[in-house]
Amino acid sequence: MATLGTSTALASSSYWSSPTHIYSVGHQASISTGLGGFQPLTPWRKPSVELPAPRLLDYSQLTAAGLRQAGHWQHGSWYCEYLGCAHGPYPLITIWGEVPMFEAVDALETALPSSAHRALVDRFASSNERYWDRAVGGYAPYPGDRAGNVRTFFDDNGWEGLAFLNAYRATHERRWLYDAQRAFHFIAARGWDRNGGGMWWNTSHPYHSGPALASDSLLGILLYGEDHERWQLEDVKKYVDWANTNDNHDERQLYLEQPNQPESVNDYVQAPLIYAQYLLCKDGEGESYCVQAGRVAATLAEQHVDEYGYEYNYGPEYDAIFMQWIMAYGQATGEPYWLTLAEDNAAAAATNAAKGHGLWLSSWWGGEITDPETHPNMFRTMAATTSLFAWVGLYSNASSNSHP
């Protein structure tokens, strides 16, 4: 959902005509108060999008189905970027292509611990160590890269580090924590622009990257929760403070893919920065971080901010990342809106993602996948839908268990 719509675009109204199908979320009693009690950042301050009651699904079975589908891309002990390994001399998946499935198995083992699920996490984690390029000192895009001049991406290292950290949380295997730590060490050493700030997209320094800033900020604050090393906290504050000053020039004050390009708003940049700021606040770094997180979240939920309302349909990889981390924020703050939003999108994906293919290669809500970088028959499309089911399963199970 890279373009979250213009300020004048109305949210989808296809489900709004029948009040009996609307799921009312708390904290919506007053138009002047946004989601979770925070005022949104937009000047119009509309109430939150109303969500239909979610359809209950067997998320563990859906996740298992995704893991079976992955076999269609298997090449030796790993996977290809495209069906049929049709990608020239470099057919294997890049970090960006495989991280959603790594996250899916992390969620599966966390939600339903078993020896089989643990083995999946260990397999994916050990295989992901093949992306480590000792000469670069970071995770390179392609497995087996070992040259010192490989163009290496700081957003990749953030997403990869988060997947390793979730593997550690699921298994308590400290090897995976170490793998996450070295991703953040690489980011801290080489990703930050020391002449004015901003997180570079890659080691060639073409531009500052919102996704890198978001993934790296969240990785850093989550690692701080494990390591309690002050430098991690200070680096994250530096990243987030820069984002709040330089990376939100959209009229809704949402975060950008690239600074000073207001058309580059993307959902998967928002959720990690929302959750990272909530965690900064929780760690005693100032109430202003909670306020900023709440206001960005409230703005995302407004009727007039996203022309699609609750239908996230830009590209499964981006939208799955958004859902994963906005659900974490929702659980942390006790706000059920975000889980319901994810459950509604999971229900749509269960209906639409396999249309025309038999595999989860279509958009969640039908029609074409908007993202121009998501090509037909890519592993990442199926893997991201699997990740959605896995993380919704984890958070819906946690929500059910929290109520007697």
Side-chain angles (χ1 to χ4, degrees):
M1 200 172 65
T3 53
L4 284 167
T6 65
S7 61
T8 57
L10 294 177
S12 171
S13 60
S14 59
Y15 284 83
W16 292 20
S17 59
S18 177
T20 60
H21 294 292
I22 295 299
Y23 175 83
S24 295
V25 178
H27 307 298
Q28 295 186 41
S30 170
I31 289 179
S32 64
T33 301
L35 196 69
F38 290 99
Q39 288 187 347
L41 293 166
T42 54
W44 45 86
R45 296 181 182 173
K46 297 294 182 182
S48 301
V49 174
E50 293 181 316
L51 304 175
R55 177 162 56 94
L56 297 180
L57 301 171
D58 188 333
Y59 296 111
S60 64
Q61 289 299 315
L62 287 165
T63 305
L67 288 164
R68 289 194 298 272
Q69 289 188 27
H72 291 273
W73 283 263
Q74 192 155 357
H75 180 75
S77 63
W78 203 222
Y79 302 98
C80 288
E81 193 85 57
Y82 292 87
L83 278 173
C85 291
H87 199 52
Y90 299 101
L92 299 180
I93 45 174
T94 61
I95 287 176
W96 180 236
E98 60 79 27
V99 154
M101 194 61 82
F102 190 2
E103 287 280 19
V105 299
D106 290 345
L108 188 61
E109 167 64 7
T110 304
L112 298 168
S114 71
S115 58
H117 295 163
R118 167 65 188 261
L120 283 170
V121 174
D122 289 343
R123 172 176 173 258
F124 269 85
S126 60
S127 295
N128 270 265
E129 289 179 329
R130 296 170 57 201
Y131 292 91
W132 180 257
D133 185 341
R134 187 181 300 274
V136 170
Y139 291 97
Y142 195 78
D145 280 337
R146 295 294 180 268
N149 62 350
V150 172
R151 183 180 300 165
T152 305
F153 294 80
F154 298 107
D155 54 346
D156 277 0
N157 275 263
W159 306 126
E160 182 82 325
L162 287 166
F164 274 120
L165 183 58
N166 281 328
Y168 164 70
R169 288 175 154 188
T171 65
H172 307 292
E173 171 56 63
R174 294 194 65 82
R175 174 180 165 186
W176 313 142
L177 176 61
Y178 169 74
D179 287 331
Q181 290 166 334
R182 61 182 182 173
F184 193 66
H185 278 278
F186 171 68
I187 290 159
R190 298 189 59 182
W192 186 250
D193 182 354
R194 303 187 188 281
N195 297 315
M199 190 66 71
W200 294 113
W201 183 37
N202 61 45
T203 49
S204 297
H205 297 180
Y207 59 82
H208 295 143
S209 165
L213 192 68
S215 63
D216 300 347
S217 297
L218 183 55
L219 174 60
I221 194 62
L222 289 173
L223 280 172
Y224 175 72
E226 302 292 340
D227 301 334
H228 307 291
E229 295 184 10
R230 187 73 194 183
W231 73 269
Q232 296 168 328
L233 185 68
E234 294 302 325
D235 272 22
V236 172
K237 287 171 63 179
K238 176 173 64 178
Y239 303 162
V240 168
D241 290 347
W242 189 91
N244 286 332
T245 303
N246 298 281
D247 196 45
N248 58 352
H249 299 313
D250 169 70
E251 65 172 325
R252 300 152 294 185
Q253 297 183 48
L254 301 177
Y255 300 108
L256 306 176
E257 284 245 17
Q258 295 184 45
N260 301 313
Q261 293 191 14
E263 73 282 1
S264 69
V265 172
N266 193 306
D267 58 353
Y268 79 130
V269 179
Q270 315 307 313
L273 283 168
I274 289 170
Y275 189 41
Q277 291 184 81
Y278 168 79
L279 294 173
L280 281 171
C281 172
K282 182 183 176 185
D283 286 329
E285 297 305 310
E287 180 68 20
S288 63
Y289 289 118
C290 275
V291 173
Q292 178 69 4
R295 287 180 173 174
V296 176
T299 298
L300 283 171
E302 282 194 317
Q303 291 176 6
H304 287 196
V305 169
D306 172 20
E307 63 180 321
Y308 300 106
Y310 53 81
E311 298 181 5
Y312 279 63
N313 213 33
Y314 176 67
E317 180 139 23
Y318 310 90
D319 298 337
I321 291 171
F322 172 80
M323 295 298 171
Q324 177 182 345
W325 295 112
I326 205 67
M327 283 190 288
Y329 174 72
Q331 183 190 61
T333 57
E335 174 54 71
Y337 180 93
W338 300 112
L339 174 57
T340 305
L341 175 71
E343 288 173 330
D344 285 336
N345 279 269
T351 299
N352 296 302
K355 284 185 175 178
H357 304 278
L359 303 172
W360 292 332
L361 290 171
S362 296
S363 67
W364 294 349
W365 290 92
E368 295 296 320
I369 293 175
T370 307
D371 170 43
E373 301 300 321
T374 301
H375 304 144
N377 300 323
M378 297 188 89
F379 181 92
R380 68 183 64 171
T381 306
M382 176 277 302
T385 300
T386 305
S387 183
L388 172 71
F389 294 140
W391 285 100
V392 174
L394 172 62
Y395 284 109
S396 62
N397 185 56
S399 177
S400 298
N401 290 340
S402 67
H403 300 288

